Amino acid sequence: MKSTNVISQFFSSYEVTMQTLDLLVQITSQCEWKNASDLNQIIKHFGKKLIDTKPWDPIISNAIKRVLYIIREDYNISTIEETDAGIKQLRSSQAAISDIGNLLLKRHTSKRLDINRAGIFRLLGDKEKDDFSQSYTDLQERIIESINLVIQEVESIYEFVAEQALTHIHTNEVIMTIGHSRCVEALLKEAAENRKFQVIVAESMPSYAGRKFAGVLAGAGIETTLIHDSAIHTMMARVNKVIVGTHAVLANGGLMAMAGTHILAQAAKYHSVPVIVCTGLYKLSPIYPSQDSFAELNSPSDVLNFEEVAGDLAHVRVINPAWDYIPPDLLSLYITNSGSYMPAYIYRLLAEYYHPDDDDI
């Protein structure tokens, strides 16, 4: 089994998510467990160790909570199928219990009519309080298959986002972005296949990820302008829309994005320019913004090289925050792998991905 320390070696949210899900598949297939309750505890045990490798990063927690949700849902699917089998057996058994079988069928069917992807276990009445101790022979295979489907979904993020390019990007538009997002890259490259537009890229000091992104876009034949971060407000007056990526989407519809994104969003609001966020829903986090969420700091050497620290500079404190919080009122739209959503709708998606009982992980 892969060590939990391996996860800390990856930096992009995509890599972290894929490695976490891969490890959870191994845990599910190789650890000994008898029922969903056992597996739930095992996943939480390993999950806390994984989270400790990157305590400020909600991405690992997202993957773990998603798998815990899958365990609950697949357990209840097995429960439904066993109930179906029991009903069929009752109906074909002695005539003396046929009325009981009909009653069970009626009650069960009325519940099945409402089953949807928002959560099967929510529709099982008192089964929602199940202790998940029942054993099912097909549960392990079912859960592994479900996790693999999530992995396939994450792998297809950029393709699904790119399919929406022509809906949101139009001819002769001027688009501004910051840093380098693979989702934004996929969207812009797809749009460039059919339309001509201009992209202004803020270099995103001190990482200068925007410089690399500008080169990528220019190499794809897109008219690209690279600007210093301090020129964002000045250049915003000629921009039609802002398109950015994000590290995580918070429960209130806000963003946890690379440092500098908040300045970009504020300038856009001042000039009444819409801000569009490209992201996969694996970045959706059931957490609300707090001071602890944005406590991660990058190395001060990115701002001031250690070789330059001399004289009065030796007494200067250098702070290099990793993330900005962008509140939902500065955002206009999310483009995701399952469609486009307003920021106010984000909280509704949480019920399709996570269970509130796992918030303590």
Side-chain angles (χ1 to χ4, degrees):
M1 184 184 300
K2 194 176 297 184
S3 170
T4 56
N5 291 329
V6 172
I7 304 300
S8 63
Q9 300 174 13
F10 296 89
F11 297 97
S12 78
S13 56
Y14 176 85
E15 291 175 328
V16 170
T17 299
M18 294 297 288
Q19 291 295 322
T20 302
L21 290 172
D22 179 64
L23 182 58
L24 294 177
V25 169
Q26 293 182 51
I27 291 171
T28 302
S29 61
Q30 297 178 20
C31 290
E32 293 186 7
W33 51 276
K34 297 180 180 179
N35 50 51
S37 178
D38 290 347
L39 180 59
N40 186 289
Q41 294 303 313
I42 292 172
I43 295 294
K44 285 188 175 182
H45 172 75
F46 280 98
K48 290 177 180 178
K49 290 186 176 182
L50 287 173
I51 292 171
D52 286 343
T53 65
K54 295 173 76 74
W56 308 117
D57 194 339
I59 295 300
I60 296 177
S61 176
N62 291 349
I64 294 166
K65 291 176 181 178
R66 182 75 180 107
V67 170
L68 290 173
Y69 180 95
I70 286 172
I71 293 171
R72 285 185 166 87
E73 191 162 69
D74 284 350
Y75 174 88
N76 284 289
I77 291 174
S78 295
T79 301
I80 288 173
E81 291 182 349
E82 184 176 85
T83 304
D84 280 337
I87 291 172
K88 291 177 181 179
Q89 183 177 3
L90 285 172
R91 294 184 66 187
S92 62
S93 65
Q94 301 175 5
I97 60 171
S98 61
D99 290 340
I100 298 177
N102 291 333
L103 177 61
L104 289 174
L105 180 61
K106 180 179 179 181
R107 291 176 59 190
H108 180 61
T109 303
S110 66
K111 291 180 180 178
R112 287 192 66 188
L113 291 175
D114 294 326
I115 291 175
N116 56 47
R117 64 195 295 263
I120 290 175
F121 53 82
R122 298 181 182 278
L123 305 163
L124 292 175
D126 56 357
K127 289 299 290 181
E128 185 177 359
K129 301 178 182 179
D130 201 311
D131 59 4
F132 300 98
S133 60
Q134 181 66 38
S135 296
Y136 296 108
T137 57
D138 66 336
L139 186 57
Q140 182 183 53
E141 180 180 355
R142 189 189 298 276
I143 291 172
I144 292 174
E145 181 180 357
S146 295
I147 299 175
N148 284 328
L149 287 175
V150 175
I151 292 174
Q152 293 175 23
E153 176 188 330
V154 176
E155 289 175 336
S156 304
I157 291 296
Y158 306 117
E159 177 185 349
F160 290 140
V161 168
E163 288 176 354
Q164 304 170 65
L166 298 183
T167 302
H168 301 284
I169 299 176
H170 306 98
T171 302
N172 297 325
E173 282 190 325
V174 179
I175 298 166
M176 184 178 286
T177 188
I178 187 170
H180 186 186
S181 163
R182 292 174 65 181
C183 263
V184 176
E185 178 183 339
L187 188 80
L188 295 177
K189 283 184 174 180
E190 180 65 25
E193 294 290 330
N194 297 278
R195 292 173 180 168
K196 293 292 184 180
F197 53 89
Q198 179 184 353
V199 179
I200 300 174
V201 184
E203 64 178 355
S204 58
M205 177 187 172
S207 70
Y208 298 108
R211 292 185 182 181
K212 176 183 177 182
F213 192 29
V216 170
L217 295 179
I222 299 173
E223 183 180 348
T224 307
T225 303
L226 179 67
I227 64 171
H228 193 277
D229 296 342
S230 61
I232 287 175
H233 203 285
T234 301
M235 299 295 290
M236 189 62 70
R238 65 185 71 179
V239 171
N240 298 109
K241 63 186 58 169
V242 170
I243 303 179
V244 297
T246 184
H247 185 71
V249 180
L250 305 181
N252 68 336
L255 295 184
M256 180 180 181
M258 68 177 300
T261 308
H262 188 258
I263 295 175
L264 179 65
Q266 283 185 316
K269 186 175 181 64
Y270 180 84
H271 289 276
S272 299
V273 175
V275 177
I276 298 174
V277 183
C278 289
T279 184
L281 287 179
Y282 71 91
K283 296 184 180 182
L284 178 62
S285 300
I287 62 173
Y288 287 85
S290 66
Q291 186 174 356
D292 290 342
S293 302
F294 302 90
E296 184 176 358
L297 299 176
N298 290 328
S299 172
S301 65
D302 294 337
V303 178
L304 183 64
N305 291 331
F306 292 125
E307 293 81 3
E308 299 175 11
V309 178
D312 291 339
L313 281 177
H315 305 287
V316 173
R317 183 184 182 189
V318 180
I319 299 177
N320 184 16
W323 312 113
D324 270 350
Y325 167 61
I326 299 88
D329 61 289
L330 296 181
L331 307 174
S332 306
L333 186 72
Y334 282 96
I335 301 176
T336 76
N337 53 294
S338 67
S340 301
Y341 303 98
M342 301 293 288
Y345 187 81
I346 290 298
Y347 80 96
R348 296 189 180 185
L349 297 175
L350 293 173
E352 300 181 16
Y353 285 79
Y354 309 110
H355 192 281
D357 287 352
D358 300 325
D359 288 345
D360 60 341
I361 187 67

